[in-house]
Amino acid sequence: MAVFVMLTDRVHDRDTRSVDDAVTAEAVEHRGPGWTHLFDTVSTAAVVPLATAMIVFGAVLSVRARSREPLVLVVVTGLGAATLSWAAKQAVGRPRPGGSIGIVAADGYSYPSMHTAVTAALVTVAAYLLTRQTQRGLAATAWWTIAGTLTALVAASRVYLGAHWATDVAAGWVLGTGWGFAVVTGDLLLPVVAARFRGRPASGR
C-alpha cells in the first residue's frame, strides 16, 4: 500500500509521463489481430465473468466447509477493491489515453486500473483459500504462480487495448494485491483476537 501511495504521488506530479508514453508506443507497435482478440477476451473476462466465478467458488467452499467464511472473504475482497479503485480514480482524476490509442470503449478516469485491482485482489484471496485447502508446498506455489500470471495478463491487456497507461495497471496491481493481503491478514488474525477476548487459545487454520 505504501508503494501505491508513492506511485500516486508520482502520477499526480506527472513524473511518469515518459515511461507511460514509451510503454504505450511499444504496445501499439506490436498490435495485431491475434493479440487484439486475446487481450480483448482477457480484459472482458476480468469483469463480470471473474466476479461470477469467484462468487461461485466462494459459495462452493462455504458449502464444503459449512461456513460462510470463504464466500464472505470473496465478497469483501471484490467490493473493497472496487471501492478503493473508484475512490482513487475520483481523487486523482487522470484522463485515459483515448484518441487513436484506445481500441476499446472505456469510461471514467484512468488511474488506477479497476480491472487490474479487482483481479489482483480476488486471485490473491483465491490462492490463499486454495493453499489452505491443499496444505502442500508445491500446490501452494502453483496457485500463487497462477494468481500472478492472471493478474499480469489482465494488466497487459488494459495497456495493449489503450484503456490505461502502464502506471495505471501498476497501481491497480499493488492496490489490489495490498487489499487482498489485508483481507487475508484479517482472516488469520480474527480467530486469535476473538479467542483472547473469550480467554482461551485460538484454534489454528
Side-chain angles (χ1 to χ4, degrees), residues 3-196:
V3 173
F4 175 76
V5 172
M6 290 188 291
L7 185 55
T8 301
D9 183 63
R10 296 293 297 273
V11 168
H12 184 267
D13 293 339
R14 300 179 183 274
D15 291 339
T16 62
R17 187 61 182 269
S18 59
V19 173
D20 286 323
D21 287 343
V23 174
T24 298
E26 190 72 16
V28 171
E29 182 181 349
H30 290 85
R31 279 177 180 167
W35 287 112
T36 299
H37 176 71
L38 171 64
F39 284 129
D40 187 36
T41 302
V42 169
S43 181
T44 302
V47 190
V48 177
L50 175 63
T52 303
M54 284 299 302
I55 290 174
V56 172
F57 169 72
V60 170
L61 288 185
S62 289
V63 170
R64 290 180 58 184
R66 296 182 180 180
S67 167
R68 292 174 295 191
E69 179 210 0
L71 181 57
V72 170
L73 287 180
V74 168
V75 173
V76 169
T77 300
L79 290 178
T83 301
L84 289 172
S85 299
W86 179 86
K89 283 177 182 289
Q90 306 311 308
V92 177
R94 187 187 204 184
R96 292 183 184 271
S100 60
I101 297 175
I103 57 176
V104 293
D107 300 323
Y109 294 123
S110 186
Y111 181 94
S113 166
M114 187 179 292
H115 279 66
T116 309
V118 173
T119 299
L122 287 175
V123 298
T124 294
V125 168
Y128 161 67
L129 290 171
L130 288 169
T131 298
R132 204 171 69 182
Q133 293 285 316
T134 55
Q135 299 291 331
R136 288 198 293 262
L138 186 60
T141 301
W143 295 132
W144 288 105
T145 300
I146 292 171
T149 301
L150 288 175
T151 306
L153 282 172
V154 172
S157 75
R158 300 306 286 167
V159 175
Y160 177 92
L161 297 171
H164 286 285
W165 302 106
T167 46
D168 296 339
V169 300
W173 197 329
V174 295
L175 177 64
T177 303
W179 173 246
F181 277 115
V183 173
V184 168
T185 301
D187 185 58
L188 292 172
L189 290 179
L190 186 59
V192 178
V193 174
R196 286 186 177 180

